[in-house]
Amino acid sequence: MPHVNSERGAALIGVLSAGAALGTAELVAAATGPNSSPITSVGGAAIDLAPVWLKDFAISTFGDYDKPVLLGGILVVLVVFAAVAGVVAARRFAAGAVMIGLIGAIGALAAVSRPDGSPLDALPSLAAILAGAAALHLLLTRRPAADGPGRRTFLVTGLGTAAYAVLGGTVGRILQQRSADIAQSRSAIRLPAPVSPAAARPSGHDFAIPGLTSFETPNRDFYRVDTALVIPELTAEEWRLRIHGMVDRPVELSFADLMAKPLIERDITLCCVSNEVGGPYTSTARWLGFPLAQLLREAGVRAGADQLVGTDHAGMTIGTPLDVVMDGREALLAIGMNGEPLLPANGFPVRQLVPGLYGYTSATKWLVDLELTTFDKYDAYWTERGWDPIGTVLTASRIDVPKPFAQVPAGPVTVAGVAWAQHRGISAVQFRIDGGEWRPAQISTEVSPDTWRQWRATVQLDKGLHRFEVRAADGRGDWQPEERTRPFPRGATGWHSVAVTVT
Ligand SMILES: Nc1nc2c(c(=O)[nH]1)N[C@H]1C(S)=C(S)[C@@H](COP(=O)(O)O)O[C@H]1N2
Ligand SMILES: [Mo]
């Protein structure tokens, strides 16, 4: 640390102080809960406040890494701000301290205003302000001077602060995590056999072509889309579901209660409204759960209710059209996927699923509360942000093979992919080459109208650049429209296309 009395030195002191502040915040958040960490809650607020185009951009550009990218971005902004605060403080300590106070105040505000926030959630940020100001003061006064402390004193203080920051942050984060409890709770669950197993999958339901999406998505590959920076953590033992609002008999249910009910198992494809044409946010699993409509009938839904609002363990809400849930389709309160308890990222211990609706209006993960109400009275999270309140899945199809810009050897070329229109089913898939005539593709045997189907074809192509396009018709015979639209506000439309070079 050669120039500790220079501006660069002061900037470094600012950054070290911010480190001490954050380390302290993470330690305190071990007591007040992971969502009260200023980093996590500012990230959460950024997600909640982000305009639709930015969210779309983040999901399509960074995919599963959208959250680490967001947290990294926040850290970069923080480091720059802290460096400036250090330089300012070297001239006028009070002004630098006020800057630290301001960042801390943003953290406190973000933590308190989370959906399940309480005044106590400000504590990590307040402690961070104190620790940051103290570290700033200590480091500035220990800078080497002719008549004051030597270089060694400063070096030791600086290294000590850095070590405290890293250690505090790490230990705090470890203490915040209850993943060990969750893992234990998950592995202790013995899923009961369904009273109504899923129908056997007919032969020909999976073409098993290399590179083609498999019919069943292995749990580790199941897509994940949500607003949670920290996965809401609750054990099956702690879980309770309250069903209330416009019902005759409010219900409260434990996980054991749910497991003791006659459960059914169904293959269901889930997809995300934010999926771009050709995008990856669609997966299929064999779900184990209890029919949601039956549970609601047990509670006695009152006339006039038209919306089912699910709230997750962190207070996030999803609004589902009630008539869709009650129309005879097999909406589930699911506890199992592909023979295992739900993965934490996919909603452990209990989530909702409604075949035919996008996840954002139907698939509440970490579900703890169901309220019967009306669309007039309540706007859930996504509806508040302008997304369509119903969320009917649009017919979609995708080319998986060949990959975009692949070099394929001349000779017969296999084209293949998947198509979905949950609950209406897929009745036909067509493809065309270089804008030519539409040709029929072979489609895999249907497992259920609630699941996707694969499609395939083999073609002979001349050498050179070629473009494949695909379109599907749903069970009503309606073809996907050509017009390209963005996901907002009711799902992307348009035909997926892939360009390849035949060599
Ligand atoms: N609690 C909660 N549930 C949620 C969400 C969320 O942000 N929070 N996102 C929804 C969206 S937009 C989708 S597409 C599905 C995705 O479910 P998956 O992550 O298990 O694939 O979950 C839905 N359920
Ligand atoms: Mo979604």
Side-chain angles (χ1 to χ4, degrees):
M1 268 172 254
H3 308 291
V4 282
N5 290 319
S6 66
E7 299 227 313
R8 262 175 54 203
L12 178 66
I13 285 173
V15 173
L16 282 172
S17 307
L22 289 182
T24 304
E26 295 303 324
L27 280 174
V28 176
T32 51
N35 276 316
S36 63
S37 143
I39 290 283
T40 305
S41 51
V42 167
I47 291 176
D48 293 350
L49 297 174
V52 165
W53 62 264
L54 184 59
K55 247 182 245 188
D56 275 4
F57 169 80
I59 289 183
S60 57
T61 314
F62 306 119
D64 289 348
Y65 298 102
D66 57 343
K67 293 180 178 80
V69 167
L70 171 69
L71 293 179
I74 289 173
L75 276 179
V76 168
V77 171
L78 199 69
V79 163
V80 171
F81 196 84
V84 174
V87 173
V88 169
R91 298 199 188 125
R92 264 191 69 204
F93 179 76
V98 164
M99 286 179 74
I100 289 198
L102 273 179
I103 322 181
I106 293 175
L109 188 71
V112 169
S113 55
R114 294 288 295 160
D116 62 341
S118 81
L120 271 185
D121 292 330
L123 281 182
S125 299
L126 298 182
I129 296 176
L130 293 181
L136 193 62
H137 191 261
L138 189 71
L139 287 163
L140 284 171
T141 51
R142 297 227 172 154
R143 281 184 300 174
D147 54 348
R151 280 175 57 85
R152 206 186 136 73
T153 309
F154 178 77
L155 208 70
V156 168
T157 315
L159 286 176
T161 309
Y164 169 75
V166 171
L167 213 70
T170 312
V171 171
R173 281 276 154 148
I174 291 171
L175 290 177
Q176 286 167 38
Q177 277 175 6
R178 298 186 53 218
S179 15
D181 299 358
I182 306 303
Q184 199 178 29
S185 168
R186 243 191 116 238
S187 62
I189 293 172
R190 295 283 161 271
L191 291 177
V195 296
S196 164
R201 292 175 189 157
S203 73
H205 76 278
D206 193 328
F207 293 140
I209 295 170
L212 171 62
T213 306
S214 57
F215 175 81
E216 178 178 296
T217 312
N219 284 353
R220 65 174 180 284
D221 297 334
F222 205 94
Y223 84 92
R224 177 187 170 197
V225 171
D226 54 59
T227 60
L229 275 178
V230 191
I231 293 178
E233 289 178 321
L234 80 165
T235 63
E237 295 73 29
E238 293 161 333
W239 183 84
R240 291 282 180 287
L241 177 70
R242 212 160 72 89
I243 304 177
H244 62 111
M246 297 171 72
V247 292
D248 294 331
R249 299 167 290 279
V251 172
E252 200 178 304
L253 215 62
S254 71
F255 194 78
D257 294 337
L258 191 54
M259 291 238 289
K261 287 182 174 289
L263 303 182
I264 69 173
E265 198 167 36
R266 294 293 180 266
D267 289 325
I268 299 171
T269 297
L270 179 63
C271 64
C272 180
V273 71
S274 298
N275 202 39
E276 303 277 351
V277 171
Y281 303 118
T282 310
S283 301
T284 300
R286 180 163 282 191
W287 304 92
L288 176 72
F290 188 70
L292 183 57
Q294 194 175 331
L295 200 63
L296 296 181
R297 274 194 296 272
E298 284 170 23
V301 177
R302 296 216 171 123
D306 62 8
Q307 184 180 210
L308 178 65
V309 174
T311 304
D312 79 4
H313 184 51
M316 195 266 187
T317 57
I318 284 184
T320 309
L322 186 63
D323 55 344
V324 176
V325 172
M326 306 304 283
D327 76 357
R329 71 187 74 202
E330 292 179 302
L332 295 179
L333 272 191
I335 61 170
M337 60 195 291
N338 297 331
E340 282 178 23
L342 302 182
L343 283 173
N346 302 104
F348 180 83
V350 180
R351 78 175 305 167
Q352 189 177 296
L353 284 172
V354 184
L357 296 181
Y358 286 117
Y360 81 100
T361 57
S362 69
T364 322
K365 306 192 274 188
W366 315 293
L367 178 72
V368 295
D369 187 288
L370 281 175
E371 181 175 1
L372 278 299
T373 179
T374 64
F375 280 106
D376 271 353
K377 255 192 248 143
Y378 187 79
D379 276 339
Y381 185 92
W382 297 106
T383 317
E384 225 179 4
R385 287 160 177 78
W387 294 82
D388 177 62
I390 305 301
T392 304
V393 169
L394 302 180
T395 307
S397 54
R398 184 175 79 200
I399 303 168
D400 288 343
V401 183
K403 298 283 170 239
F405 310 113
Q407 310 265 342
V408 276
V413 175
T414 297
V415 242
V418 284
W420 60 90
Q422 290 93 297
H423 208 59
R424 300 187 302 281
I426 290 291
S427 60
V429 176
Q430 293 178 339
F431 70 103
R432 65 178 184 179
I433 303 168
D434 302 328
E437 289 292 300
W438 287 103
R439 313 182 198 177
Q442 184 193 349
I443 40 180
S444 61
T445 318
E446 181 173 77
V447 171
S448 145
D450 295 340
T451 57
W452 57 15
R453 291 174 84 168
Q454 298 175 343
W455 62 272
R456 67 181 290 175
T458 305
V459 293
Q460 292 283 346
L461 291 175
D462 306 331
K463 284 189 180 170
L465 189 68
H466 295 286
R467 195 164 69 100
F468 292 111
E469 285 170 289
V470 66
R471 65 177 188 180
D474 67 9
R476 300 175 187 151
D478 293 330
W479 288 96
Q480 281 178 258
E482 176 174 18
E483 190 202 350
R484 277 270 183 161
T485 62
R486 301 298 320 264
F488 185 79
R490 53 178 58 85
T493 64
W495 300 330
H496 186 214
S497 70
V498 162
V500 300
T501 309
V502 175
T503 53

